[in-house]
Amino acid sequence: MASRSLGGPSVSRGGGGGGGKKSLSARNAAVERRNLITVCRFSVKTLIDRSCFETIDDSSPEFNNFAAILEQILSHRLKGQVTWFGYESPRSFWDYIRVACRKVSQNCICSIENMENVSSSRAKGRAWIRVALMEKHLSEYISTALRDFKTTRRFYEDGAIVLGEEANMLAGMLLGLNAIDFSFCLKGEGLDGSFPAVIDYTPYLKYIQSSDSISSDEEELRTLGSSGSESSTPENVGPPFLMDENSWFNKCKRVKQKYQLTLEQKGYLEELLRLRENQLSESVSQNKILLQRIEDSDLAHKLEKEQLEYIIVELQDQLKSYQSLDQLSAEVSLSQTSLDPGQLQEGDGKQDTLNLMSEGKEDTPSLLGLCGSLTSVASYKSLTSLKSNDYLASPKTEMTSPGLTPS
């Protein structure tokens, strides 16, 4: 009975211990995934901040830390390669990348495979990270590899980062690196695959305490010291947080770089403002010239309109005068037709006489001046009232005159 009773609790303890180990391992795996993703996000932010002041290359500590973090993420719970003898040999993440990223257009997989100075699988994976960053396609490579879920399941165990929800976050945060211009040498010491990558967590574990919290801590320590023994004086109490000289120097350097960048931007904006002011003044002057031209053209159009209206009035007056002359000529013709036939015959004889005289002698300006126009009615009436034998000579008398004998 005792053995059974002891056996029962022992079995129950074993079962409870197995469940506790599983929950603990699951908790550890979740914490590990969350830590790697969080540190990766911090490293991407530091890379973007550093790229604003200097070029990112192999000597940059921010890049070396980022490369180590990405290598740890892609190697998280990676399955080993089983040999013919049943043993499992370690495998690099490059074996997964070269298979899953074949579908990327214009990929660099073949060029990295053919590199002479890179022999190990780990070194090829590190070279791929650098080439993908220089090509600005790292996020595209990761997204394509994660979409190939069958290949990912074949290379990774359950609980891996690339198989969880964190994978989508990884592809999204790597997209911001496409805005950085990287410059790497593919023959440096960073490609040495003999040593595993180590993450430096110290840049992300610094705690910067504000001045308010420092003063409150000092006051609290003073009150605690005054309430204690006399030996614990507040003079021996210092600030809880001190920064070394290198960190102060780096901060001053960053502030100086930001100040220089701000000055350059200020000069650029001032020059741009000056150019815009010049363009504005030119446009204002051109606008004034155009307005003056419009006013001159309006004045000219008004003058032309007035002249045309005056011409129209004159033409209307002339038309009225012509109409009155036509009426007068019609009245004269009617008055001529109302004369006696004897007077008309006498007038016709006199008109024939005048025609003979005009044929024998040429008209002179003096004659025209004396007689006027033969076609007018007034001159015709004056000629009929004159006597032909008193003022006009006949052709016979002219021929018989002694002074005009023919030769």
Side-chain angles (χ1 to χ4, degrees):
M1 295 292 292
S3 63
R4 287 180 182 177
S5 63
L6 290 173
S10 64
V11 172
S12 63
R13 288 194 190 98
K21 288 180 180 179
K22 288 182 180 179
S23 62
L24 184 60
S25 63
R27 183 258 179 192
N28 293 337
V31 170
E32 187 179 5
R33 291 196 302 267
R34 186 168 61 250
N35 290 341
L36 286 174
I37 291 296
T38 304
V39 172
C40 183
R41 184 170 65 250
F42 288 157
S43 64
V44 169
K45 289 183 178 180
T46 54
L47 270 177
I48 294 174
D49 293 340
R50 176 61 62 181
S51 65
C52 297
F53 305 105
E54 60 184 18
T55 304
I56 305 298
D57 53 8
D58 296 282
S59 62
S60 176
E62 289 83 4
F63 165 72
N64 292 327
N65 212 25
F66 167 76
I69 293 169
L70 185 60
E71 186 174 343
Q72 291 286 343
I73 290 174
L74 294 177
S75 301
H76 182 250
R77 301 186 71 85
L78 182 66
K79 291 181 180 179
Q81 187 175 6
V82 180
T83 61
W84 288 96
F85 300 100
Y87 296 103
E88 187 175 346
S89 62
R91 178 184 284 176
S92 174
F93 70 92
W94 170 248
D95 299 329
Y96 163 69
I97 291 296
R98 69 179 180 180
V99 176
C101 296
R102 291 283 184 181
K103 298 179 182 180
V104 178
S105 60
Q106 298 179 358
N107 59 76
C108 59
I109 304 298
C110 296
S111 60
I112 292 176
E113 286 283 356
N114 298 327
M115 291 178 66
E116 298 179 354
N117 60 324
V118 180
S119 58
S120 64
S121 179
R122 183 181 292 171
K124 289 180 181 179
R126 293 174 180 176
W128 167 78
I129 292 175
R130 286 162 171 78
V131 173
L133 287 173
M134 287 190 291
E135 291 180 350
K136 303 181 186 299
H137 291 161
L138 181 60
S139 178
E140 183 180 359
Y141 279 110
I142 297 297
S143 300
T144 304
L146 294 177
R147 283 195 296 267
D148 191 357
F149 189 73
K150 184 177 180 180
T151 304
T152 307
R153 290 286 300 176
R154 182 161 57 91
F155 277 89
Y156 288 92
E157 298 177 355
D158 293 336
I161 294 177
V162 295
L163 292 176
E165 298 178 355
E166 298 86 356
N168 296 326
M169 297 173 58
L170 177 65
M173 70 178 66
L174 294 179
L175 190 63
L177 297 177
N178 294 340
I180 303 176
D181 295 328
F182 293 92
S183 177
F184 301 117
C185 178
L186 300 180
K187 297 181 180 180
E189 298 179 355
L191 299 180
D192 188 9
S194 58
F195 299 100
V198 179
I199 302 175
D200 184 13
Y201 290 96
T202 55
Y204 317 114
L205 298 177
K206 288 182 179 179
Y207 174 68
I208 302 175
Q209 196 172 13
S210 62
S211 59
D212 298 334
S213 61
I214 291 174
S215 61
S216 61
D217 291 342
E218 289 179 353
E219 291 177 359
E220 185 178 357
L221 288 172
R222 286 195 186 100
T223 56
L224 289 175
S226 61
S227 61
S229 60
E230 297 179 356
S231 59
S232 59
T233 57
E235 295 179 357
N236 298 327
V237 179
F241 179 73
L242 294 175
M243 298 182 65
D244 54 354
E245 294 181 357
N246 292 330
S247 60
W248 283 113
F249 178 75
N250 292 332
K251 280 193 173 183
C252 292
K253 185 178 179 181
R254 290 180 182 178
V255 171
K256 185 177 180 181
Q257 290 175 350
K258 289 183 179 180
Y259 177 71
Q260 291 178 354
L261 182 62
T262 306
L263 283 180
E264 292 178 358
Q265 292 178 352
K266 178 176 176 292
Y268 170 74
L269 293 176
E270 288 178 351
E271 183 67 20
L272 186 62
L273 180 62
R274 187 181 63 82
L275 292 175
R276 293 294 181 268
E277 288 179 351
N278 293 335
Q279 292 177 358
L280 180 62
S281 61
E282 290 178 359
S283 62
V284 168
S285 60
Q286 291 178 358
N287 189 19
K288 289 181 179 179
I289 294 172
L290 292 175
L291 290 175
Q292 185 65 32
R293 289 181 180 177
I294 291 173
E295 291 178 358
D296 296 341
S297 61
D298 290 340
L299 183 60
H301 291 163
K302 289 180 181 179
L303 293 175
E304 290 180 358
K305 183 180 179 181
E306 292 177 356
Q307 291 177 358
L308 290 175
E309 290 177 353
Y310 181 74
I311 291 171
I312 290 171
V313 171
E314 286 186 350
L315 291 175
Q316 290 177 353
D317 295 339
Q318 291 180 3
L319 182 60
K320 290 180 181 179
S321 63
Y322 289 153
Q323 290 176 356
S324 61
L325 289 175
D326 291 339
Q327 292 177 0
L328 181 61
S329 62
E331 292 176 357
V332 169
S333 61
L334 289 175
S335 63
Q336 288 179 356
T337 55
S338 62
L339 294 174
D340 295 337
Q343 292 179 355
L344 288 174
Q345 290 179 359
E346 184 180 357
D348 291 338
K350 292 180 180 180
Q351 186 69 27
D352 293 338
T353 305
L354 291 174
N355 291 333
L356 290 174
M357 290 176 62
S358 62
E359 289 178 0
K361 294 183 179 180
E362 294 181 356
D363 296 334
T364 59
S366 61
L367 183 61
L368 291 174
L370 290 172
C371 299
S373 178
L374 296 176
T375 59
S376 62
V377 178
S379 60
Y380 176 75
K381 290 181 179 181
S382 62
L383 287 174
T384 54
S385 62
L386 295 175
K387 293 180 179 181
S388 61
N389 54 1
D390 294 334
Y391 298 96
L392 296 177
S394 63
K396 293 181 180 180
T397 57
E398 290 179 356
M399 294 297 295
T400 56
S401 60
L404 296 175
T405 57
S407 57

